[in-house]
Amino acid sequence: MTPRGTGRIGPDRSLSFTTGDVTVHGSLRAPVDPSHPVPAAVLVAGSGPVDRDGNATIGPYAGIALDCLRWLADVLADAGVASLRYDKLGVGATGPATFGSSELAGRSFQDSGVQPARDALACLADQPGIDPARLLVVGHSEGGGIALAVGGDAGDAPLPAGLALIEPMYERALDTLARQLVDQLRSSDLDRRTGEALVAWIDAGVRDIRDGSPPFPDPGPPPVPDARGFAATAQDVIAEAVYVRFRNLLGKTEDEIDPAALAATIEVPVLLTAGAKDFNTPVDEDGRGVGVLARAFPPGIAELVVVEDLHHSLRDIGDADQMTSDADATAYPFSTQLAGALDAFVARFTDDATP
């Protein structure tokens, strides 16, 4: 079947906008015929140093080409929806040369994460051929939380007409991080004393961040000084994730994003997707997950689509284990079921929509 938007949306072209004192660089896909306005979406990436295409540019995942945001832009273009995706602060063309990570850690998440999405939305609304009454925000993972924040308060930008939350964060960031770390510890063969010490260290680190304020004091030595093997590796991961990554203004204010509380304020149509093989954002696990978030919206607002075999990378990994790494997941195709769900959602905003 030929995509209904074929030929309407042009290829990527460079576009920049400002957020505060930073110039943000991105890629715009605009209508070929600007005299015929079309709906358009801002694409918001997930957590970490992720660029406009959904690829990590620094750190352990650098060089792994997930291209998941580029693919989402492809799906939208096929549906006749223009889009703008951008390099986050500190990343890609926006990043390191002009905006160091130490400076980023000293900024609030509202300034460095949410406001750029608002400014992108305002920039997109001003482009030729874009209908400002049919703007969408499509957020992946942590970008889903940002989309919710923008959907509730767009600032100077037009209020979005709809939100698509793709494998979104469903609870506060430190709750998810702590759950993932504790699950990994409890599924290992660590001795009871070491496991309990590391779990207690995670809990203490979360409390310190939530109860304190930056600059945070030195957290002191790790609890298992003689750790070896997996215990040493786990302790290092906890130290970096909890005691470094979030122990600053950026991390503390990122954790203040509460998706369920934001969901209760949304009044426009929302799509949520939950991959059946997504360890990061499960459908419903012990009362936590994307399904729980879906129920936090006012009645009739949100639609939850559970996607079979979907990995967090937006690939259909078939019979592979849900713990498949991002690097290994790139060998699989993007999910056609997810593409269909997004296509069906945005159809209500296109010229092909049934009155």
Side-chain angles (χ1 to χ4, degrees):
M1 182 176 68
T2 302
R4 64 178 183 276
T6 298
R8 295 184 189 177
I9 307 301
D12 283 344
R13 66 177 179 83
S14 296
L15 181 70
S16 64
F17 58 91
T18 58
T19 185
D21 58 349
V22 178
T23 298
V24 179
H25 296 269
S27 296
L28 172 70
R29 293 191 184 183
V32 173
D33 179 8
S35 68
H36 185 71
V38 300
V42 167
L43 295 171
V44 188
S47 62
V50 181
D51 68 12
R52 71 188 77 179
D53 292 333
N55 301 328
T57 58
I58 58 176
Y61 300 105
I64 300 174
L66 293 181
D67 285 332
C68 53
L69 262 67
R70 177 187 288 273
W71 176 73
L72 288 173
D74 292 341
V75 174
L76 292 170
D78 285 345
V81 178
S83 65
L84 172 61
R85 62 191 197 278
Y86 57 91
D87 292 336
K88 295 163 60 174
L89 273 66
V91 176
T94 302
T98 57
F99 198 79
S101 59
S102 60
E103 182 184 352
L104 184 60
R107 296 197 176 202
S108 74
F109 189 71
Q110 283 289 328
D111 289 341
S112 61
V114 177
Q115 190 58 42
R118 292 188 180 116
D119 292 332
L121 196 65
C123 176
L124 182 59
D126 287 340
Q127 301 307 307
I130 301 302
D131 184 351
R134 292 185 288 170
L135 294 177
L136 309 172
V137 182
V138 179
H140 175 233
S141 195
E142 181 184 81
I146 294 173
L148 281 170
V150 175
D153 179 8
D156 294 332
L159 195 67
L163 307 175
L165 313 181
I166 310 300
E167 308 304 288
M169 63 182 291
Y170 55 86
E171 63 186 349
R172 293 174 65 179
L174 281 172
D175 288 335
T176 296
L177 176 63
R179 173 186 64 84
Q180 293 175 348
L181 292 172
V182 170
D183 284 352
Q184 291 178 34
L185 291 174
R186 289 178 174 164
S187 65
S188 72
D189 58 358
L190 285 176
D191 65 85
R192 181 176 177 181
R193 179 188 66 83
T194 299
E196 289 180 348
L198 292 176
V199 169
W201 198 40
I202 294 169
D203 292 341
V206 171
R207 286 196 304 272
D208 284 351
I209 295 166
R210 290 180 171 172
D211 294 344
S213 58
F216 292 97
D218 187 327
V224 189
D226 57 347
R228 298 289 185 273
F230 176 78
T233 299
Q235 187 165 254
D236 289 344
V237 169
I238 295 166
E240 175 61 29
V242 179
Y243 287 90
V244 176
R245 162 70 174 82
F246 279 88
R247 205 174 175 86
N248 49 55
L249 179 61
L250 177 64
K252 179 177 175 64
T253 53
E254 179 181 348
D255 179 61
E256 290 170 355
I257 295 288
D258 185 341
L262 290 169
T265 70
I266 302 300
E267 299 178 350
V268 297
V270 177
L271 168 70
L272 301 97
T273 71
K277 290 199 172 175
D278 190 338
F279 167 78
N280 293 281
T281 52
V283 179
D284 193 337
E285 187 174 276
D286 299 325
R288 308 165 76 181
V290 180
V292 178
L293 174 61
R295 295 191 289 274
F297 287 88
I301 291 292
E303 174 192 7
L304 172 64
V305 176
V306 178
V307 185
E308 297 177 5
D309 299 327
L310 182 67
H311 185 267
H312 200 66
S313 63
L314 310 189
R315 263 72 175 189
D316 182 334
I317 63 171
D319 295 333
D321 188 86
Q322 70 168 1
M323 298 306 293
T324 297
S325 69
D326 284 347
D328 290 338
T330 59
Y332 295 87
F334 285 110
S335 170
T336 56
Q337 186 182 350
L338 174 59
L342 181 57
D343 182 81
F345 176 72
V346 301
R348 70 184 72 187
F349 304 100
T350 67
D351 295 336
D352 303 302
T354 302

